[in-house]
Amino acid sequence: MENKNLITVSCTPHMRSKITVNKIMLDVIISLVPAAIMGIYFFGFGAIKVILLSVISAVFFEYVFQKATKRDVTINDLSAVVTGLLLAYNLPSTAPFWMPIVGSFVAIILAKQLFGGIGQNFINPALAGRAFLLASYPAEMTNWVAPGWGVDAVTTPTPLAALKQGVDLVSASGNVISATPGKEDIINALTGNIGGCIGETCAIALLIGGLYLIYKKVINIKMPLIYIVTVFILTGILGRETGRFPLYEILTGGVMLGAFFMITDYTTSPMTPKGQIIFALGCGIITSLIRIYGSYPEGVSYSILIMNLFVPIIDRYTKPVIIGEARK
Amino acid sequence: MRLFSSERGVHPPDGKHFTANKKIETIMPKVGQLLYFPTSQHAGTPTEPIVAVGDYVKVGQKICDSDAKITSPVFSSVSGVVKAIKPVLLPAGNLSNAVIIENDGKFEKSEEIGKPYDYTKMTKEEIVDVIKKMGIVGLGGAGFPTYAKINPPADKKIDYYIVNGAECEPYLTTDDRMMIEHSDSLIRGILIFQKMYPDAKALIGIEDNKPTAIEVMRKAAEGYDKIEVVPVKTMYPQGGDKQLLRTLTGRTFPITNPPSRTPDTGCIVNNVVTIMAIDKALNEGEPFLKRVITVTGDAVKNPGNYEVCLGTTYQDLIDAIGGFKAEPKKFIAGGPMMGFSMYTLDVATIKTSSGLICLTEAECENPKESNCIRCGKCTEHCPLNLAPYALNQYALRGDAESFVANNGMFCIECGTCSYTCPSKRQLTQSISAMKRTESAKRKRR
């Protein structure tokens, strides 16, 4: 019985905002572009390869899983693209071709889809993928190369490795990675002219992306700011054996990437305003502690993964108080 | 200019420009037209018809009444013969018994109306009694009988009279036009209230997207030191009574069990059109017979503000103003945020009808729900600072205990959470449904 003149009836409200999940994800992708450009500029073809493999496999796994389990295919919401990009940004440009694929599998299938897809995962999928790869293939995951388009990649230590060991390290080509960074090292960290993962080295590109997200109201400045300031203050107070370099600490080792793109992930951060403060603070504290007392040189990804696990309990104890209740 | 703002809410596209400059036109029912007077046009106990089929009734004659505590009588807006008494559809989609009168076109006035009262010589109780007798209810949309609202227990000290001219619902321009064209009536109505509560200062809250109304009301309020026009920031739901009260006085509405009422904060809130009806009731002796309805939407040929005799069906109203210019796909009685979606226009206009929005297919949004991405926008914008995402979960899984414990019953169903949700989840829908189920359960107990 087809009647084209039927009147639409629906529940209130009859107006909806123009914001959609798809538009939010598109904004996140746009904001990640500067970091991709800088990553490719510094690390060359390897970076392109890792980014493409990671994104394509992430979307592919999401599509295949949803088809296989007879669910609605949601790759159009672009969240898999974001996960793929973030995973790639957390890998070295030297990663063999299978690594981004394995990482995407862990991120999309194990961390995201098995828990119900978008919005249901309890840990950040991209970081779960990275953590899995780091634990399983530590050698490949820490095969850093110095920036440059050279055919023969030059292996190099990362700035934080030098800080961690407390001695100046020397790259294969003879460049000194200082354990007591000066002005020049800080400028290198700002522009991304240092060794590290594809998307984490250029602090300026990440800042531009982050500011774009704040301008578009996709994220609130609160969480990134609290996180960065906490790391700055704690590393500044605690310091390393060779000295205190808080500014250098927040520019290296993925703090910017984590601050603007990882801890602000809607799904794996608290929903309540108060909870978000606790979460960002916790991430900052754990990052600083891992860096200074732990055996890993950086600590951003583990701090976020650890705090992800606390999100349900944070949400539970920071439930918003209804306006007027305080007077009871 | 004082610009107050409450920090929560949303900014839907307001669509008021279609009708904001259209003068109010009166639409009189045709000879032989049937008018429908439902017995339930207010929040409270429905009334009972006091006329019988075949009776001749006059304009202003009381046709339904009740002895219940919270109720409001219904009057005929035309003269003619009672054709039938049977259940009809209300805008909200439920049925109500109704008196159906055929208009004879003579508009013969009842002897009961047209006798002004000298309120300056009346006591507070006598004024309240007239307001009750004249069938005045909250005309902003809720329809709570006004006499009950303005007569709180004697121990409540009332120091503010909040005059609600915010009209935060998009598309509607009824209150706006009424203030511009009948500012004197509003002031007279406020003076009646101030006779009852001499200490109360009247604050007229108007959203700053209505500069003409603000200017006109300022001029009208000149010389009255206890009436102040306060522009407020345009934001939905600024015009909720508790929201406007908080914006204007900084007072917070206490959340208590049993629920408190606005007089607990020392304020009484009335919609501007309600206050004009109070003026008409006392100064002209006329019960509530006519009201202004904004007819708008992209399907309507001649959008505008029309004064109709209550009881006119929406269909007759649309026919009288030139019908549609495009095929309508959706009818909304009221505003787009809180109004009722109707499947037919054969529904009578009642006291609380403030708007009719007819939308074409292009404007009917029916987005698909997707997973909650936990962005927190719903709780960020909720005017009550509730957690709609959590209430939605409790409602969907039928967890009444958690729903109540998290203050779900205090939700004002403004629709802000559903509006702002990027996953297009029907938060308001499930929360309202849970509220209904739970209140029904409580009534049974």
Side-chain angles (χ1 to χ4, degrees):
Chain A
M1 217 172 66
E2 182 84 8
N3 187 348
K4 287 197 170 157
N5 295 321
L6 284 181
I7 294 296
T8 310
V9 176
S10 72
C11 199
T12 58
H14 306 291
M15 280 176 129
R16 295 302 189 88
S17 66
K18 300 275 174 259
I19 312 165
T20 60
V21 176
N22 175 287
K23 279 187 187 154
I24 291 172
M25 293 300 165
L26 191 64
D27 271 338
V28 176
I29 293 169
I30 291 169
S31 69
L32 284 168
V33 167
I37 293 171
M38 294 312 282
I40 292 166
Y41 173 76
F42 281 120
F43 299 114
F45 180 71
I48 300 178
K49 185 187 75 184
V50 172
I51 291 173
L52 283 181
L53 277 171
S54 180
V55 171
I56 293 169
S57 58
V59 174
F60 173 78
F61 284 129
E62 179 142 306
Y63 179 82
V64 167
F65 184 90
Q66 287 174 331
K67 272 279 166 202
T69 53
K70 299 194 171 66
R71 283 153 209 265
D72 290 344
V73 174
T74 59
I75 53 171
N76 282 338
D77 67 20
L78 300 178
S79 65
V81 176
V82 171
T83 302
L85 271 179
L86 286 176
L87 176 68
Y89 285 13
N90 277 294
L91 300 177
S93 59
T94 53
F97 78 93
W98 50 266
M99 255 177 56
I101 300 175
V102 172
S104 285
F105 177 84
V106 173
I108 295 292
I109 306 285
L110 296 187
K112 186 179 170 192
Q113 289 300 339
L114 284 183
F115 288 92
I118 185 168
Q120 306 296 309
N121 47 297
F122 66 95
I123 51 172
N124 190 310
L127 288 181
R130 173 190 152 87
F132 177 85
L133 294 176
L134 192 58
S136 312
Y137 314 102
E140 286 89 342
M141 280 296 283
T142 52
N143 183 14
W144 313 115
V145 291
W149 274 82
V151 182
D152 298 314
V154 181
T155 55
T156 181
T158 61
L160 284 180
L163 281 190
K164 179 101 231 164
Q165 293 169 29
V167 287
D168 291 355
L169 299 177
V170 182
S171 76
S173 60
N175 280 345
V176 177
I177 313 297
S178 173
T180 51
K183 211 174 177 183
E184 206 173 302
D185 299 287
I186 287 175
I187 288 168
N188 279 340
L190 272 172
T191 54
N193 192 16
I194 50 174
C197 295
I198 294 167
E200 71 175 17
T201 57
C202 181
I204 288 180
L206 292 165
L207 262 173
I208 292 171
L211 292 178
Y212 173 80
L213 286 185
I214 291 164
Y215 168 73
K216 287 290 233 171
K217 292 191 174 155
V218 173
I219 61 170
N220 190 307
I221 193 167
K222 189 175 66 185
M223 280 208 279
L225 195 69
I226 292 174
Y227 177 65
I228 293 170
V229 168
T230 308
V231 174
F232 184 88
I233 292 176
L234 274 182
T235 52
I237 292 172
L238 298 171
R240 309 266 187 174
E241 279 163 18
T242 48
R244 299 168 212 281
F245 315 101
L247 188 58
Y248 196 55
E249 300 263 10
I250 62 167
L251 294 177
T252 54
V255 168
M256 289 294 162
L257 184 65
F260 291 109
F261 300 98
M262 302 287 197
I263 66 169
T264 54
D265 174 38
Y266 287 151
T267 305
T268 53
S269 65
M271 296 176 81
T272 61
K274 229 189 273 170
Q276 290 172 349
I277 295 174
I278 298 172
F279 180 79
L281 210 60
C283 288
I285 293 170
I286 298 176
T287 303
S288 310
L289 292 181
I290 291 180
R291 283 193 174 188
I292 291 163
Y293 302 111
S295 56
Y296 278 106
E298 48 106 73
V300 173
S301 49
Y302 284 114
S303 72
I304 297 171
L305 285 172
I306 291 168
M307 286 309 288
N308 282 167
L309 303 181
F310 284 101
V311 166
I313 204 161
I314 293 175
D315 265 343
R316 187 162 168 185
Y317 285 105
T318 57
K319 278 249 173 71
V321 178
I322 182 170
I323 288 173
E325 176 136 276
R327 282 201 175 182
K328 200 152 78 176
Chain B
M1 183 162 78
R2 276 203 292 167
L3 274 184
F4 292 82
S5 75
S6 60
E7 65 272 40
R8 296 165 171 284
V10 286
H11 302 275
D14 77 353
K16 289 184 193 279
H17 54 278
F18 297 115
T19 54
N21 297 319
K22 300 273 172 73
K23 275 202 175 132
I24 298 171
E25 282 176 53
T26 303
I27 305 290
M28 292 309 278
K30 295 194 202 89
V31 178
Q33 186 178 320
L34 294 178
L35 282 91
Y36 299 75
F37 300 91
T39 57
S40 178
Q41 308 200 6
H42 53 269
T45 317
T47 54
E48 290 296 332
I50 52 170
V51 289
V53 177
D55 284 4
Y56 183 78
V57 295
K58 295 176 181 173
V59 176
Q61 184 179 333
K62 200 196 287 180
I63 52 177
C64 306
D65 206 355
S66 162
D67 295 331
K69 204 166 160 235
I70 304 289
T71 188
S72 186
V74 179
F75 298 84
S76 174
S77 59
V78 293
S79 59
V81 176
V82 177
K83 283 284 166 190
I85 296 176
K86 64 173 188 192
V88 296
L89 262 186
L90 291 180
N94 45 344
L95 290 174
S96 161
N97 211 12
V99 176
I100 302 168
I101 297 171
E102 190 183 79
N103 177 28
D104 66 0
K106 291 179 190 147
F107 296 99
E108 203 173 315
K109 280 196 176 170
S110 154
E111 302 74 42
E112 293 164 40
I113 72 166
K115 294 179 201 144
Y117 294 84
D118 184 4
Y119 72 87
T120 53
K121 295 200 179 80
M122 290 162 69
T123 64
K124 181 178 148 194
E125 287 66 31
E126 284 165 343
I127 296 176
V128 169
D129 207 49
V130 173
I131 292 171
K132 178 176 184 178
K133 224 169 64 183
M134 293 296 189
I136 295 168
V137 302
L139 300 175
F144 191 74
T146 304
Y147 70 88
K149 206 169 172 182
I150 62 170
N151 193 21
D155 60 318
K156 305 277 183 226
K157 195 182 163 294
I158 302 299
D159 45 11
Y160 280 113
Y161 188 33
I162 308 293
V163 180
N164 190 346
E167 198 166 51
C168 60
E169 271 277 5
Y171 286 96
L172 302 188
T173 51
T174 306
D175 297 356
D176 187 12
R177 285 313 304 184
M178 287 295 275
M179 282 189 284
I180 293 171
E181 296 182 30
H182 301 288
S183 56
D184 50 334
S185 170
L186 180 59
I187 298 293
R188 285 198 301 269
I190 294 171
L191 294 177
I192 295 172
F193 182 88
Q194 286 180 331
K195 167 73 176 55
M196 300 165 64
Y197 300 95
D199 297 331
K201 181 170 186 195
L203 299 176
I204 309 176
I206 307 173
E207 279 192 348
D208 57 8
N209 61 355
K210 299 181 249 307
T212 320
I214 293 173
E215 199 186 311
V216 170
M217 284 318 304
R218 280 226 166 110
K219 211 166 264 172
E222 257 170 37
Y224 299 100
D225 55 345
K226 295 194 98 166
I227 303 178
E228 191 188 342
V229 177
V230 190
V232 295
K233 199 173 157 190
T234 302
M235 177 191 282
Y236 183 86
Q238 185 71 271
D241 54 355
K242 287 139 207 166
Q243 281 64 43
L244 189 65
L245 187 157
R246 184 161 178 254
T247 308
L248 291 180
T249 66
R251 292 178 189 176
T252 311
F253 186 75
I255 298 294
T256 52
N257 203 4
S260 38
R261 299 203 178 280
T262 41
D264 294 339
T265 57
C267 304
I268 286 175
V269 189
N270 273 155
N271 175 274
V272 287
V273 185
T274 313
I275 298 169
M276 294 178 200
I278 294 175
D279 163 52
K280 226 170 186 179
L282 281 127
N283 290 327
E284 293 174 30
E286 194 179 306
F288 193 59
L289 302 176
K290 288 179 185 172
R291 74 156 299 154
V292 175
I293 295 177
T294 302
V295 184
T296 184
D298 61 347
V300 178
K301 199 169 170 192
N302 298 310
N305 304 292
Y306 300 98
E307 186 179 47
V308 298
C309 291
L310 292 182
T312 308
T313 63
Y314 287 111
Q315 186 66 56
D316 289 332
L317 170 58
I318 274 287
D319 291 344
I321 64 167
F324 299 112
K325 65 173 180 203
E327 195 195 331
K329 268 286 171 192
K330 194 170 192 177
F331 303 127
I332 303 164
M337 294 299 282
M338 287 187 81
F340 303 108
S341 172
M342 304 184 291
Y343 64 84
T344 167
L345 286 182
D346 291 325
V347 174
T349 53
I350 58 171
K351 291 176 184 175
T352 53
S353 303
S354 52
L356 171 66
I357 303 173
C358 305
L359 301 174
T360 60
E361 185 142 33
E363 291 280 307
C364 294
E365 294 177 60
N366 199 5
K368 202 168 166 274
E369 270 190 309
S370 58
N371 273 1
C372 169
I373 56 167
R374 294 177 38 88
C375 65
K377 285 192 198 302
C378 52
T379 181
E380 188 185 320
H381 292 286
C382 175
L384 286 182
N385 201 19
L386 293 169
Y389 63 93
L391 295 176
N392 178 52
Q393 277 178 12
Y394 303 140
L396 290 180
R397 69 170 117 100
D399 182 354
E401 202 179 317
S402 305
F403 184 84
V404 173
N406 287 286
N407 294 319
M409 297 304 283
F410 291 99
C411 169
I412 57 168
E413 299 171 40
C414 63
T416 299
C417 48
S418 290
Y419 174 82
T420 191
C421 180
S423 297
K424 307 297 159 201
R425 295 190 71 78
Q426 296 282 12
L427 302 162
T428 316
Q429 178 175 334
S430 56
I431 295 170
S432 317
M434 190 72 189
K435 271 181 72 183
R436 303 274 180 288
T437 320
E438 192 53 25
S439 2
K441 249 195 263 168
R442 285 180 185 182
K443 264 181 206 158
R444 273 206 301 275
R445 252 174 234 150

